[in-house]
Amino acid sequence: MTIRALVSDDLLPDWHQLWAAVRGVRGPGTHPVTTLASGLARTHRLANGRDSSLVARRRLWLIWAIDAWVAEHVRAVDRQVSVGAYIDELAAAAVAADDAVRHDGATGEVLHEVFTEAARLAAGWTEFAKTAAPRVYQAGALR
């Protein structure tokens, strides 16, 4: 991750940016959360045929890194669940959607199910990202 990737005007990426990241598309000045989300999707893609304990450790580290970034930048009241675990679910859904397209073609019940799940997760992310407020630091107190 570059220093440029650590600087962002937006508190959180929108669902389009997050979806692009878990699908493997990243642009210049990528948000730190999307960079880590991209890593989660890569671990899901690489999980086949790999040592599952190594993949699990990598996923846990990435989930922790997202949660740490969010804890530093988003106020506590907006962090009721693990944001990293939520993004991990979204990354898994994106990988499942890609696999369904490759294996089931452009139609099928499986394809419908995986994209419905991905849409549900994207809608949930949108709600979280729209309502999350930045953490405010004041002398002597944290809010």
Side-chain angles (χ1 to χ4, degrees):
M1 182 180 330
T2 65
I3 297 297
R4 179 171 171 74
L6 297 174
V7 180
S8 174
D9 294 332
D10 297 325
L11 180 59
L12 293 168
D14 67 18
W15 79 267
H16 298 94
Q17 295 165 317
L18 194 58
W19 184 252
V22 297
R23 299 287 315 286
V25 179
R26 293 188 315 190
T30 302
H31 192 284
V33 170
T34 58
T35 300
L36 295 164
S38 180
L40 279 169
R42 274 194 310 277
T43 61
H44 284 284
R45 283 187 193 91
L46 296 174
N48 295 336
R50 301 286 175 129
D51 180 356
S52 61
S53 65
L54 292 174
V55 172
R57 281 196 304 256
R58 177 69 177 157
R59 282 183 51 222
L60 287 173
W61 184 89
L62 290 163
I63 290 167
W64 172 86
I66 291 169
D67 287 340
W69 188 93
V70 169
E72 182 72 22
H73 295 90
V74 176
R75 60 183 182 171
V77 72
D78 294 327
R79 295 182 274 120
Q80 301 302 317
V81 297
S82 167
V83 175
Y86 192 89
I87 293 173
D88 183 52
E89 285 184 59
L90 182 65
V95 171
D98 286 344
D99 287 346
V101 167
R102 273 196 301 278
H103 297 106
D104 295 333
T107 61
E109 186 62 31
V110 172
L111 188 65
H112 174 73
E113 288 176 17
V114 295
F115 274 98
T116 299
E117 176 65 5
R120 181 189 70 76
L121 291 165
W125 177 259
T126 297
E127 192 62 33
F128 173 72
K130 281 180 15 182
T131 59
R135 187 170 183 179
V136 177
Y137 291 91
Q138 294 179 344
L142 293 176
R143 290 193 294 163

